[in-house]
Amino acid sequence: MIEFKAITKDYADSAALQAIDLCVASGELFVLVGPSGSGKTTLLKTVNRLVVPTSGQVLIDGVDVATGDLQTLRRHIGYVLQSSALFPNMTVMQNASVQLEALGWPKARIRPRIEALLRLVDLEPTLYAERRPAELSGGEAQRVGIVRALAADPKLMLMDEPFSALDPVSRRQLQALILKLHRELDTTILFVTHDMQEALHLADRMAVLHDGVLQQVGQPQAVIAEPANAFVADFFKDVIAGQRTLAQVLAAGFGRPTTAAGKPLPATTSIYAWANALAAEPRLAVQVGQTQLDATDLIGYLASLDQKEVPHA
Ligand SMILES: Nc1ncnc2c1ncn2[C@@H]1O[C@H](COP(=O)(O)OP(=O)(O)OP(=O)(O)O)[C@@H](O)[C@H]1O
Ligand SMILES: [Mg+2]
């Protein structure tokens, strides 16, 4: 378990982190999400002491990271960055072995270990082990960076926007890979992204940061269902809009109270399912509890969502 206790980080002209209290459970895939400059990287780096907090403590399994030996700490934490930061003059095998060499593993054990991990990330060793970084795509280089971070079987992986430089297809593939690795390996992952879609897709739980202040912590569905404040609601607004249901249409005041029989639909029905039903049958009236809705209600509701989005004739 990682515990951040009242972590504050002040720079000369900014407060990067303000009294952050946060617990990440062992085995979680935990995402730190927020806009650029919100303090995500700074918070992540307090774990491997690349950043020393102005005040507060980080505990890993109850032990303050400030107390132990720095090299030992870092060798037991996997670290993956936006650019894979591979050594250009070294092969994939050599790059991926760096951590194990430093830990003094015998050569005879290193090779099979790295080959197994390359297979795990879908890089066939006979094709990739002897290549150099210049002979890899961006996505392949990130996979090698992940293998390097996983080599020593760390209990904890720190990942700082590892996929943000990739095209959307590679990004999707590597997100799926991370979910697979997280299922198969017994590793806690602390993952930083500014992309809310990525956060929602990956996170067991997530923490939303803004201006160095923790805004909300929770499971993605819980954050979307109940944003803690206006910042969080705005940050996730595209997704929240995509999750609109008949309950929200009623709450916005649309519909007429009647018990006349329309097609009964539960209040949890998405407005898109409703729109589909209307596309097939434009005159359809639907009955949600004691309230009836028709096509004009859907149009009125959509128009009310964001006046700025209504096109001008
Ligand atoms: N070494 C430093 N010296 C001074 N200010 C810094 C330093 N590192 C970070 N900051 C400031 O601290 C704040 C948080 O930075 P941080 O890198 O943690 O943001 P971030 O959330 O990771 O952003 P991004 O999504 O752009 O990577 C920013 O205002 C940044 O300018
Ligand atoms: Mg950052």
Side-chain angles (χ1 to χ4, degrees):
M1 182 171 70
I2 313 169
E3 286 170 87
F4 298 91
K5 292 189 155 180
I7 298 287
T8 291
K9 180 66 183 178
D10 296 325
Y11 289 110
D13 48 4
S14 69
L17 296 171
Q18 299 183 44
I20 304 285
D21 284 304
L22 185 63
C23 278
V24 176
S26 294
E28 262 190 312
L29 202 177
F30 194 98
V31 175
L32 299 173
V33 65
S36 183
S38 55
K40 307 177 297 292
T41 296
T42 306
L43 187 62
L44 191 78
K45 284 181 170 176
T46 61
V47 178
N48 61 1
R49 279 169 62 186
L50 283 169
V51 166
V52 177
T54 308
S55 62
Q57 290 174 299
V58 181
L59 310 183
I60 300 182
D61 293 334
V63 180
D64 189 335
V65 297
T67 57
D69 172 57
L70 184 61
Q71 288 310 323
T72 310
L73 175 78
R74 292 203 184 142
R75 280 181 191 151
H76 290 90
I77 298 176
Y79 191 32
V80 184
L81 299 168
Q82 181 177 351
S83 80
S84 58
L86 301 175
F87 298 108
N89 55 330
M90 287 167 39
T91 65
V92 164
M93 177 58 71
Q94 289 166 335
N95 266 291
S97 306
V98 164
Q99 191 100 335
L100 299 184
E101 304 261 6
L103 286 166
W105 279 41
K107 283 250 181 299
R109 274 183 68 208
I110 293 179
R111 196 166 184 97
R113 168 77 183 153
I114 299 299
E115 285 180 352
L117 287 172
L118 286 172
R119 282 192 198 96
L120 192 63
V121 302
D122 296 322
L123 293 177
E124 173 49 42
T126 53
L127 289 176
Y128 287 96
E130 302 312 318
R131 288 201 201 173
R132 289 177 203 278
E135 299 163 320
L136 301 173
S137 73
E140 289 166 349
Q142 280 310 85
R143 286 168 200 256
V144 176
I146 291 169
V147 167
R148 180 177 58 185
L150 283 174
D153 195 17
K155 282 276 161 272
L156 173 60
M157 292 262 279
L158 307 178
M159 308 188 81
D160 194 349
E161 311 243 8
F163 311 143
S164 57
L166 301 178
D167 64 274
V169 174
S170 309
R171 194 176 178 130
R172 275 274 150 200
Q173 287 172 342
L174 287 201
Q175 287 168 351
L177 173 67
I178 285 301
L179 289 171
K180 179 182 95 160
L181 293 175
H182 182 245
R183 270 196 309 274
E184 291 178 5
L185 309 172
D186 173 30
T187 306
T188 309
I189 300 179
L190 192 51
F191 189 106
V192 164
T193 182
H194 63 261
D195 177 344
M196 54 129 184
Q197 297 284 3
E198 184 163 80
L200 296 172
H201 183 50
L202 294 180
D204 291 330
R205 287 191 310 144
M206 61 187 186
V208 187
L209 279 170
H210 175 47
D211 284 347
V213 178
L214 199 56
Q215 307 291 312
Q216 188 167 8
V217 181
Q219 296 179 330
Q221 312 86 302
V223 172
I224 294 304
E226 267 181 77
N229 57 38
F231 172 80
V232 178
D234 188 59
F235 190 74
F236 290 104
K237 70 172 186 291
D238 292 348
V239 179
I240 291 170
Q243 305 229 331
R244 289 181 191 278
T245 62
L246 298 184
Q248 287 161 300
V249 180
L250 299 186
F254 290 92
R256 289 148 301 284
T258 171
T259 51
K263 178 186 167 65
L265 284 180
T268 52
T269 308
S270 85
I271 62 170
Y272 300 105
W274 179 27
N276 267 319
L278 282 169
E281 195 183 337
R283 292 175 173 280
L284 179 74
V286 301
Q287 189 75 31
V288 188
Q290 304 296 306
T291 306
Q292 201 172 65
L293 296 167
D294 61 28
T296 58
D297 295 308
L298 176 59
I299 294 165
Y301 176 69
L302 290 174
S304 75
L305 285 181
D306 188 345
Q307 298 301 336
K308 291 190 292 293
E309 287 177 13
V310 176
H312 296 284

